[in-house]
Amino acid sequence: MHPTITQNDILRYAYGETTTEETVLIEAALASDEQLQDFYILLKQVGDDLNQKMYAPHPTSVNIIMEESQDSSLEISN
Amino acid sequence: MQKNLIPDQSLVVSYLEGNEAALEMLIRRYKQKVLTSIYMLVHDRYLAEDIFQETFIKVIHSLRQGKYQHEGKFLPWVIRIARNLSIDHIRRRKKMPAITDSEGRDVFGYIKVEEPNAQDRMELNQTNGLLFELIEKLPEEQREVLILRHYGDLSFKEIAELTGCSINTALGRMRYAILNLRKMMVFVEQRQ
């Protein structure tokens, strides 16, 4: 019998925060528990969506940062 | 998962040795995660761009002053700075007195100062999907854990320390965020 694996454990597993021993137990539980499987699949779907839909800064923002870096570099060397 | 060929720490060292391109590489590596995290906290695209710039300028000064102690955690460090600056802006905005019209309505509630141009609109449409709208509807503490864990790469323990709650509370908030998103998605699908 598996020790009780919760959705919180699945969250830690999905984000690579479990120990080797915990990972073995969680993967065994995932193989046999449909509710945990559903939660894991949902978590992966949301994660994939979040990775695909991100904002990109305007190129001007990056230029401003790089200019600031160059200016502060000059200040240090002078 | 995509692995970065040059580790963050090597880029940081290279930058501090005078290689400006190393900083640009770090910015390119994390710019979307950082900007998206900020946007999800402040809900304003233009303010998010400003805070994005402020964040990396602070990163530059902190690096040069030797304030960054690398523990394999460059992105979480940047996200902490971004979060603190975002919270400062939110607090300042809340303290600003509301400017009302003759009927007592908040002027900024209906005046749009600047319309996005065609390119900005296209960019927003391409990236801002339904999921983002639903995330904005989540309770603040759930949204924050989702952002810090997913985009910021902070562990649940680090999130707990940063937000002043227990690990179980942080995990619970993340779990409710995921389950609430599913509920909202099902609701939206049923209405379509």
Side-chain angles (χ1 to χ4, degrees), chain B residues 91-105:
Chain B
R91 282 185 184 146
R92 274 205 296 271
R93 198 162 55 184
K94 279 181 182 169
K95 279 182 185 170
M96 279 173 68
I99 301 170
T100 54
D101 64 11
S102 57
E103 293 173 13
R105 294 176 301 179

Side-chain angles (χ1 to χ4, degrees), chain B residues 51-69:
Chain B
I51 298 173
F52 174 83
Q53 291 170 23
E54 261 185 75
T55 298
F56 274 100
I57 287 170
K58 192 158 187 182
V59 163
I60 289 166
H61 293 302
S62 298
L63 286 175
R64 292 203 194 281
Q65 290 163 8
K67 288 182 182 171
Y68 172 63
Q69 300 298 318

Side-chain angles (χ1 to χ4, degrees), chain B residues 12-190:
Chain B
V12 168
V13 170
S14 179
Y15 172 62
L16 291 174
E17 287 171 352
N19 179 11
E20 294 283 325
L23 174 69
E24 195 163 359
M25 207 177 286
L26 281 167
I27 295 172
R28 286 190 194 285
R29 191 172 278 179
Y30 297 121
K31 63 183 182 180
Q32 287 184 297
K33 286 185 173 181
V34 175
L35 180 68
T36 306
S37 301
I38 296 168
Y39 174 78
M40 284 189 178
L41 290 170
V42 300
H43 313 296
D44 180 317
R45 179 63 197 266
Y46 299 100
L47 178 59
E49 286 272 354
D50 287 346
I51 298 173
F52 174 83
Q53 291 170 23
E54 261 185 75
T55 298
F56 274 100
I57 287 170
K58 192 158 187 182
V59 163
I60 289 166
H61 293 302
S62 298
L63 286 175
R64 292 203 194 281
Q65 290 163 8
K67 288 182 182 171
Y68 172 63
Q69 300 298 318
H70 182 75
E71 293 166 357
K73 292 279 186 180
F74 180 76
L75 176 62
W77 178 63
V78 176
I79 292 285
R80 281 168 201 258
I81 293 172
R83 175 187 178 267
N84 289 342
L85 289 172
S86 300
I87 289 171
D88 286 348
H89 275 274
I90 292 166
R91 282 185 184 146
R92 274 205 296 271
R93 198 162 55 184
K94 279 181 182 169
K95 279 182 185 170
M96 279 173 68
I99 301 170
T100 54
D101 64 11
S102 57
E103 293 173 13
R105 294 176 301 179
D106 183 357
V107 170
F108 292 108
Y110 60 88
I111 291 179
K112 205 169 177 76
V113 176
E114 189 180 358
E115 285 294 328
N117 61 31
Q119 190 188 339
D120 286 342
R121 274 199 300 274
M122 193 170 68
E123 212 175 310
L124 285 168
N125 289 337
Q126 281 170 352
T127 52
N128 192 5
L130 172 67
L131 185 64
F132 276 17
E133 287 176 33
L134 299 182
I135 289 171
E136 285 182 27
K137 293 185 195 306
L138 289 173
E140 195 176 328
E141 65 272 19
Q142 290 176 24
R143 191 171 59 241
E144 186 175 43
V145 175
L146 183 72
I147 294 165
L148 292 173
R149 179 57 271 200
H150 194 82
Y151 290 126
D153 203 24
L154 274 80
S155 68
F156 287 109
K157 184 171 181 278
E158 289 168 329
I159 294 170
E161 286 166 1
L162 187 66
T163 59
C165 67
S166 68
I167 296 178
N168 274 340
T169 301
L171 283 161
R173 286 174 180 169
M174 181 76 171
R175 185 161 45 85
Y176 278 116
I178 300 292
L179 295 174
N180 283 334
L181 281 174
R182 176 166 65 181
K183 274 185 202 166
M184 289 191 280
M185 280 188 243
V186 169
F187 180 73
V188 170
E189 280 169 16
Q190 284 173 347

